[in-house]
């Protein structure tokens, strides 16, 4: 596809900044499939003024490269811009070979009345926004989490919609704005001033798009109010060793990294750290919908990331990451399993199928009614 003038300017700017040190390539899941150095890749794009769809849709939009880059070259934003160009070129659609009809259907249903409700149970200016992924993973732990929040925060409501991030990450900006306006209207109508998010992507998406609302992660809240009394110190009598995997969307949010570690400490479990952790964490392989658009790249990276953990079990705080770590050959739990599922040790380690996930969404939609 021909590169438009606006994107050429961005590539030129990034190419000038890049010194070809290749530090970013060590943790990046995809650059080595396209080049021996980002400097050369950017030069080639400038010389040819063309690119293949597969390039931007192989980037997991994880931000690792910029985090470690001495020159702050922003490949994530460049590849996201290139995705937007692909959508524009195709009149708002995406080429069939990218295989994203399932993501479009997911997004459509994630804003439908069949699977979601308006804000429920609100008697204050604060809501819990668990995120659609967490609801499809387990309505039970979402319900238990919400009940616990209600005991700590008077009048907190719950909202079971999606944040629209998959649509934004596919490069479909216009469609994303259309979806996000549904949330904006609801926040305004119900006078929402504070949102507690259970998903790292929701935290970023709502934080970036609703600047007049205070967005706090559930982990910071739980670290502040304390974990349920009955869960304190449970790790001291359970013989499990965990490694922690930090999800990539919130790599720049230090308070989330420390809150999670405080919660695990209160639970009484000892944690191993991965070589790439906190701000320098690596994507689990599910970022940027690459598991759909370029599944081979995603699968091999998922395996690499899971195997970085020396223990058999991994704890993380994103349901996508839980599933990726299992696909990568490890056993894994969401931190909410440890906090709000007394029977977590007997949970199946097999990922749930699509039908069950939608049944879960359906069950979770009226939570709080
Ligand atoms: S780390 Fe930055 S400067 Fe070094 S090769 Fe990667 S993008 Fe270029
Ligand atoms: S955002 Fe992640 S996947 Fe994309 S180029 Fe940077 S490190 Fe690689
Ligand atoms: S970020 Fe993912 S899990 Fe969270 S609401 Fe959006 S699509 Fe759902």
């Amino acid at each position: 596809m021909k590169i438009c003038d606006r994107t050429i300017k961005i590539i030129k700017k990034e190419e000038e900044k890049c010194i070809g040190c290749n530090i970013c390539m060590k943790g990046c899941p995809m650059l080595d499939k396209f080049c021996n150095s980002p400097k050369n890749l950017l030069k080639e794009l400038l010389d040819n003024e063309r690119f293949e769809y597969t390039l931007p849709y192989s980037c997991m939009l994880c931000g690792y490269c910029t985090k470690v880059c001495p020159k702050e070259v922003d490949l994530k934003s460049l590849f996201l811009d290139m995705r937007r160009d692909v959508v524009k070129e195709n009149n708002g659609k995406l080429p069939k070979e990218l295989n994203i009809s399932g993501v479009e259907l997911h997004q459509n249903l994630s804003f439908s009345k069949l699977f979601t409700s308006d804000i429920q149970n609100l008697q204050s200016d604060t809501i819990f926004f668990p995120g659609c992924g967490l609801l499809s993973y387990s309505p039970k732990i979402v319900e238990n989490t919400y009940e616990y929040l209600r005991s700590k925060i008077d009048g907190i409501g719950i909202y079971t919609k999606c944040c629209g991030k998959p649509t934004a990450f596919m490069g479909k900006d216009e469609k994303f704005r259309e979806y996000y306006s549904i949330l904006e209207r609801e926040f305004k109508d119900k006078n929402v001033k504070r949102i507690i998010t259970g998903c790292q992507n929701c935290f970023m998406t709502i934080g970036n798009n609703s600047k007049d609302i205070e967005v706090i992660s559930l982990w910071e809240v739980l670290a502040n109010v304390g974990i349920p009394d009955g869960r304190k110190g449970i790790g001291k009598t359970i013989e499990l060793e965990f490694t922690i995997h930090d999800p990539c969307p919130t790599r720049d949010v230090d308070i989330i990294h420390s809150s999670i570690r405080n919660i695990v400490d209160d639970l009484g479990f000892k944690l191993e750290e991965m070589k790439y952790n906190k701000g320098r964490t690596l994507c689990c392989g599910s970022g940027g919908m690459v598991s759909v658009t370029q599944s081979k790249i995603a699968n091999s990276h998922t395996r690499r990331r899971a195997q970085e953990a020396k223990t058999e079990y991994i704890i993380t705080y994103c349901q996508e990451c839980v599933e990726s770590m299992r696909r990568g050959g490890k056993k894994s739990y969401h931190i909410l399993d440890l906090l709000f599922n007394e029977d977590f040790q007997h949970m199946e380690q097999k990922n749930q199928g699509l039908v069950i996930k939608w049944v879960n969404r359906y069950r979770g939609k009226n939570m709080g009614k």
Side-chain angles (χ1 to χ4, degrees):
M1 190 187 122
K2 185 152 172 44
I3 308 177
C4 69
D5 292 348
R6 190 187 56 90
T7 305
I8 287 279
K9 274 192 200 135
I10 300 171
I11 298 174
K12 202 162 181 320
K13 198 177 107 219
E14 299 303 325
E15 192 274 329
E16 279 164 9
K17 284 197 285 178
C18 177
I19 53 171
C21 65
N22 287 0
I23 291 173
C24 55
M25 290 194 66
K26 287 197 193 92
C28 173
M30 53 73 76
L31 283 169
D32 65 347
K33 315 285 184 295
F34 293 89
C35 62
N36 56 11
S37 156
K39 180 88 181 166
N40 291 340
L41 176 70
L42 295 167
K43 268 192 195 150
E44 239 174 66
L45 290 170
L46 289 174
D47 288 348
N48 298 338
E49 295 189 0
R50 301 192 69 78
F51 70 91
E52 299 292 333
Y53 300 145
T54 46
L55 174 65
Y57 286 95
S58 296
C59 170
M60 293 177 191
L61 306 174
C62 71
Y64 170 82
C65 48
T66 308
K67 190 74 183 179
V68 296
C69 177
K71 297 292 173 187
E72 293 180 4
V73 173
D74 190 353
L75 295 175
K76 169 185 169 178
S77 299
L78 169 63
F79 288 137
L80 185 53
D81 272 332
M82 288 164 80
R83 287 181 175 209
R84 292 179 181 129
D85 290 346
V86 174
V87 173
K88 247 187 237 152
E89 174 81 9
N90 287 278
N91 300 320
K93 300 214 168 76
L94 277 168
K96 276 210 176 63
E97 54 268 37
L98 288 173
N99 206 18
I100 61 121
S101 53
V103 179
E104 287 171 337
L105 178 65
H106 167 278
Q107 288 290 270
N108 209 332
L109 296 177
S110 288
F111 286 90
S112 71
K113 289 216 180 330
L114 182 61
F115 289 103
T116 63
S117 300
D118 290 341
I119 294 174
Q120 303 288 321
N121 227 3
L122 181 68
Q123 281 142 22
S124 69
D125 59 5
T126 302
I127 59 166
F128 176 39
F129 194 100
C132 65
L134 198 53
L135 279 157
S136 68
Y137 176 74
S138 169
K140 192 72 208 152
I141 56 168
V142 173
E143 191 175 17
N144 291 347
T145 305
Y146 178 50
E147 281 311 309
Y148 186 64
L149 289 174
R150 286 181 80 187
S151 72
K152 300 287 175 186
I153 302 167
D154 283 345
I156 183 171
I158 184 162
Y159 196 22
T160 51
K161 284 263 188 312
C162 169
C163 70
K165 177 81 169 239
T167 300
F169 264 14
M170 291 316 292
K172 299 177 93 179
D173 268 5
E174 229 172 85
K175 192 71 192 167
F176 168 72
R177 291 265 36 114
E178 187 187 317
Y179 283 141
Y180 199 79
S181 68
I182 298 173
L183 304 190
E184 277 172 329
R185 250 195 325 273
E186 182 72 351
F187 295 156
K188 197 160 174 249
D189 287 354
K190 305 273 166 71
N191 201 20
V192 172
K193 297 270 183 285
R194 197 160 67 123
I195 300 178
I196 297 171
T197 57
C199 160
Q200 318 318 298
N201 276 317
C202 304
F203 177 85
M204 297 305 293
T205 306
I206 301 174
N208 288 334
N209 288 283
S210 293
K211 301 272 188 209
D212 53 335
I213 294 177
E214 184 190 4
V215 180
I216 319 173
S217 88
L218 175 62
W219 324 122
E220 189 179 347
V221 173
L222 290 176
N224 284 340
V225 301
I227 68 170
D229 285 340
R231 307 307 283 163
K232 285 183 183 156
I234 56 161
K236 297 203 168 100
T237 54
I238 298 175
E239 292 230 349
L240 281 182
E241 284 182 15
F242 290 108
T243 300
I244 186 153
H245 161 76
D246 293 296
C248 61
T250 45
R251 68 169 68 255
D252 291 323
V253 191
D254 296 345
I255 185 75
I256 291 186
H257 308 145
S258 56
S259 298
I260 283 288
R261 284 158 178 80
N262 288 342
I263 292 169
V264 177
D265 199 42
D266 289 348
L267 281 163
F269 289 106
K270 258 190 73 202
L271 268 189
E272 294 285 330
E273 292 285 348
M274 288 201 181
K275 178 177 165 205
Y276 296 93
N277 67 353
K278 302 179 185 173
R280 292 179 174 230
T281 189
L282 300 186
C283 179
C284 69
S286 283
M289 253 68 66
V290 176
S291 49
V292 176
T293 56
Q294 292 291 308
S295 57
K296 263 197 193 150
I297 294 180
N299 291 343
S300 89
H301 184 69
T302 291
R303 190 143 190 90
R304 168 196 167 172
R305 179 57 174 168
Q307 294 306 319
E308 207 186 294
K310 294 193 181 69
T311 57
E312 186 187 0
Y313 285 87
I314 293 175
I315 297 185
T316 184
Y317 41 106
C318 161
Q319 70 295 325
E320 285 282 345
C321 298
V322 171
E323 295 187 355
S324 294
M325 295 301 99
R326 289 177 186 163
R327 282 198 301 275
K330 293 285 178 171
K331 294 181 174 156
S332 71
Y333 292 115
H334 196 290
I335 193 154
L336 291 178
D337 292 321
L338 307 187
L339 284 166
F340 294 107
N341 178 1
E342 292 191 357
D343 205 25
F344 78 91
Q345 282 177 277
H346 298 112
M347 276 174 67
E348 262 206 75
Q349 280 292 327
K350 202 170 140 239
N351 289 334
Q352 300 171 102
L354 262 187
V355 174
I356 306 245
K357 286 182 176 178
W358 283 109
V359 171
N360 286 344
R361 291 285 301 277
Y362 184 76
R363 283 200 183 125
K365 83 165 182 174
N366 286 329
M367 207 170 285
K369 255 192 185 164

